[in-house]
Amino acid sequence: MKEIFNGVFRVGKNIYTKNLTPGSRVYGEKLFVSAGVEYREWDPTRSKLSAAILNGLTTLPIRSGSVILYLGISAGTTASHISDIIGKDGLIYGVEFAERMMRELIPVSEKRKNIIPILADARKAEEYSWIEKTDLIYVDVADPQEMEIFIRNAKMF
Amino acid sequence: MIAHITKSPIGWFAFDDSGELLYYQLIRPDPEEALGVLTKPIPKTFFNSIKGYETKEDGFARDIISNRIREYALSLGFVETPRELNEFLTSLGILITKKKAKKFITKDKLIVQASSTLDDLNKQINTFFEHLCEWYGLHYPELKLDNEKYVKQVAQYGLREEMPGFKTSSGLALSERDIEIIKSYSSFILSALQLKKELEKYIKEATRETCPNITSLIEPLLAARILALAGSLERLARMSSSTIQLLGAEKALFRHLKNKKKVKPPKYGLIFFDKRIQNAPKGEAGKIARILASKLMMAAKIDYYSGRFEPKLKDDMEKEIGRIK
Ligand SMILES: C[S@@+](CC[C@H](N)C(=O)[O-])C[C@H]1O[C@@H](n2cnc3c(N)ncnc32)[C@H](O)[C@@H]1O
């Protein structure tokens, strides 16, 4: 097992993150134990970030303790691995406007305690103006205005 | 000198022009309390505690807090560790999101029920009225009034001889006993009419609140009927504009699909009840229906996903309709 980025481990063709909440899965991913530590397989077909890492992404600006704004967090598939990487000292503010996705994210958030669910439109950052300035913004809203949304949020947070 | 003031999840803060902390009041690390701070105005007492400055609630102060909330939460003793702060903020986010989501799911389902109840009630009231007309018509066939007035008059006076302006009638004479039961029946219809009015008022208000964008385009009662046919706002938000255009015309659509040569496809379903479509000249109704349906599709998505009011939708729609003419 090789740590290719802070908190991201590679074994053969698969990558893993250390499970922040051992024993529980988020989206049916495989669990894997090595030297008494539980890891969660990070499925590249379910997460663009995983696919990017496997395709040779050169830097990953996420590390233990990072504070992140995640736009379009959905049910938290990718976010759960980021949550593993940043650990209990890090924090994700996860914005999603689909109420159904949020309903699935809330139990994940309740367990992990480092993902903040925010039911809001990323185009209306005023609605969550109470959040703090973050180290990084991750955008995956699948919206033609993605760039504009990103710039507006970047100015604010 | 200005004191820049802001709320934050951990309390209220005041800074001077250079960003130095002037004054603050922390709350306890309780998510409910924090929600109160964020949703209510900053208390007067907080403003009054700042002496010698002009006070102003602004983005300058909010920016500072948004940068230094971690630092202050620890140094001012709101929490002992960053983890505690993370857990507190997470609980706060969960609380806010659950509150928002709760409002979301219940209200449209209530409207769906109220609206289909109203539909049924309208049909029943019509049947009741027909029965009453036939029944009371045996006694006084010459009485011609619109539905509601008719029922009221019968409930109030009973026998035709008691009615103002009565002269003669070709109907049967009725006994006291015969008329009593007819009067009771009319009172019952009147209370159904009363219920209908209450229902309409309720549906209008609830639909305007829950679907501000849809109701900016069409009458709230019509919006509620469309919602009821879709089953929920969520389902309406997932529909294409052509599905919305034909909601309520399913029977006509199937007739067309079975026999494409002879039966023309329907142009519209429920949205036909919109005044602009009803009053449109023949060639334009279909075009208006298409525009309306496409705006309704967007409105439903916005109402479901964000809930914010977008006045632009209505302006755009009116412009597009204006262009047809
Ligand atoms: C491609 S999915 C994100 C998947 C997620 N990043 C993952 O890998 O697990 C895009 C999400 O963005 C949400 N979305 C789109 N536009 C949005 C907006 N303006 N504000 C908030 N969320 C939005 C959608 O509801 C959807 O859940």
Side-chain angles (χ1 to χ4, degrees):
Chain A
M1 177 169 298
K2 194 177 155 213
E3 185 165 4
I4 50 173
F5 291 116
N6 186 303
V8 184
F9 304 86
R10 181 166 196 150
V11 181
K13 277 187 192 153
N14 297 327
I15 56 172
Y16 298 86
T17 55
K18 235 183 236 174
N19 195 352
L20 186 71
T21 53
S24 67
R25 291 181 173 80
V26 175
Y27 57 99
E29 70 281 15
K30 287 198 191 101
L31 299 178
F32 165 84
V33 180
S34 164
V37 179
E38 188 178 292
Y39 296 85
R40 297 164 56 234
E41 189 176 319
W42 194 351
D43 183 349
T45 65
R46 301 288 302 275
S47 165
K48 285 174 207 153
L49 188 54
S50 168
I53 293 172
L54 284 168
N55 276 327
L57 186 76
T58 49
T59 52
L60 182 67
I62 301 173
R63 47 191 48 85
S64 169
S66 293
V67 179
I68 295 166
L69 174 59
Y70 192 135
L71 305 177
I73 190 166
S74 198
T77 304
T78 300
S80 67
H81 289 284
I82 299 179
S83 154
D84 283 343
I85 299 171
I86 63 178
K88 295 233 186 265
D89 293 325
L91 193 57
I92 301 170
Y93 290 90
V95 178
E96 169 61 55
F97 69 3
E99 189 253 350
R100 246 172 46 92
M101 293 296 116
M102 265 297 158
R103 250 187 280 165
E104 287 173 38
L105 180 68
I106 285 177
V108 180
S109 158
E110 277 169 340
K111 222 177 259 162
R112 296 185 158 254
K113 296 189 172 32
N114 66 357
I115 300 177
I116 303 186
I118 298 176
L119 177 57
D121 187 336
R123 270 168 284 204
K124 310 226 165 82
E126 324 78 75
E127 280 184 23
Y128 45 94
S129 62
W130 56 272
I131 73 170
E132 66 190 295
K133 290 267 188 313
T134 55
D135 303 325
L136 183 107
I137 302 183
Y138 186 93
V139 189
D140 185 10
V141 287
D143 181 302
Q145 290 178 21
E146 196 162 81
M147 209 52 213
E148 268 174 72
I149 292 177
F150 167 68
I151 292 168
R152 198 126 27 103
N153 277 272
K155 275 189 188 146
M156 218 160 147
F157 310 108
Chain B
M1 281 184 301
I2 295 175
H4 304 270
I5 293 180
T6 188
K7 6 172 140 163
S8 88
I10 66 174
W12 303 275
F13 289 81
F15 301 96
D16 70 11
D17 286 327
S18 65
E20 283 297 315
L21 182 58
L22 282 176
Y23 183 68
Y24 65 91
Q25 248 171 272
L26 295 182
I27 54 166
R28 286 174 303 145
D30 167 18
E32 288 279 355
E33 221 171 291
L35 181 65
V37 173
L38 295 178
T39 51
K40 288 182 205 147
I42 300 176
K44 287 247 157 53
T45 52
F46 185 81
F47 285 98
N48 294 339
S49 313
I50 301 160
K51 304 271 190 267
Y53 286 86
E54 185 191 326
T55 52
K56 205 168 120 200
E57 187 178 353
D58 61 13
F60 176 75
R62 203 190 51 221
D63 259 13
I64 298 179
I65 268 301
S66 151
N67 266 315
R68 299 194 205 144
I69 187 168
R70 258 161 214 280
E71 201 183 306
Y72 285 136
L74 290 167
S75 66
L76 304 176
F78 180 76
V79 286
E80 309 254 304
T81 64
R83 281 180 196 201
E84 259 178 72
L85 181 67
N86 289 355
E87 288 187 12
F88 162 76
L89 291 172
T90 304
S91 314
L92 174 61
I94 292 174
L95 183 70
I96 294 175
T97 289
K98 279 189 174 168
K99 283 231 158 114
K100 259 196 182 172
K102 218 184 214 164
K103 271 194 211 150
F104 228 48
I105 34 183
T106 50
K107 205 73 189 217
D108 68 312
K109 304 238 161 95
L110 292 174
I111 295 170
V112 166
Q113 292 303 324
S115 178
S116 39
T117 303
L118 178 63
D119 255 8
D120 277 348
L121 188 62
N122 275 329
K123 281 183 207 139
Q124 283 161 355
I125 287 176
N126 271 333
T127 321
F128 292 156
F129 179 71
E130 278 165 27
H131 286 161
L132 181 69
C133 270
E134 276 185 42
W135 196 353
Y136 193 75
L138 296 172
H139 173 53
Y140 189 9
E142 294 82 6
L143 184 65
K144 295 275 179 288
L145 289 171
D146 42 321
N147 297 5
E148 196 171 338
K149 280 203 186 120
Y150 190 102
V151 186
K152 268 194 186 141
Q153 188 108 332
V154 177
Q156 190 178 350
Y157 299 104
L159 288 172
R160 64 192 177 198
E161 287 79 10
E162 309 285 323
M163 288 193 184
F166 172 77
K167 291 198 183 82
T168 56
S169 170
S170 60
L172 300 168
L174 290 187
S175 74
E176 210 42 53
R177 227 179 103 210
D178 296 328
I179 197 68
E180 267 324 302
I181 191 69
I182 300 180
K183 274 176 86 174
S184 301
Y185 185 43
S186 335
S187 312
F188 162 77
I189 302 175
L190 279 185
S191 57
L193 281 167
Q194 180 56 35
L195 175 61
K196 170 189 154 131
K197 278 180 198 150
E198 279 173 42
L199 259 173
E200 285 179 345
K201 182 165 180 273
Y202 169 80
I203 294 169
K204 279 185 192 164
E205 286 170 3
T207 313
R208 280 206 192 97
E209 251 173 53
T210 318
C211 311
N213 291 292
I214 298 177
T215 53
S216 76
L217 305 178
I218 54 173
E219 281 290 296
L221 286 179
L222 180 56
R225 289 177 71 192
I226 290 177
L227 205 57
L229 262 190
S232 69
L233 185 53
E234 182 188 351
R235 282 165 74 176
L236 188 62
R238 286 165 189 267
M239 287 181 178
S240 67
S241 81
S242 52
T243 309
I244 293 177
Q245 189 174 340
L246 294 180
L247 261 182
E250 289 77 7
K251 276 191 197 147
L253 184 63
F254 285 126
R255 271 202 302 275
H256 161 70
L257 290 178
K258 261 195 192 156
N259 191 348
K260 286 192 176 165
K261 280 187 192 135
K262 288 204 180 122
V263 185
K264 279 193 186 163
K267 287 203 186 85
Y268 19 65
L270 260 189
I271 63 167
F272 174 69
F273 291 100
D274 181 75
K275 287 210 179 63
R276 281 157 298 207
I277 298 180
Q278 281 195 335
N279 298 337
K282 257 206 162 169
E284 287 175 14
K287 286 180 197 156
I288 299 181
R290 207 160 42 239
I291 296 173
L292 186 54
S294 84
K295 298 297 170 199
L296 278 175
M297 173 195 71
M298 289 190 242
K301 288 192 180 11
I302 304 174
D303 282 335
Y304 178 67
Y305 290 114
S306 92
R308 274 295 179 97
F309 177 51
E310 302 278 359
K312 203 173 160 293
L313 264 183
K314 186 183 175 165
D315 297 346
D316 286 354
M317 180 183 71
E318 282 171 354
K319 264 184 224 148
E320 282 179 41
I321 292 180
R323 254 180 254 137
I324 310 177
K325 291 179 179 161

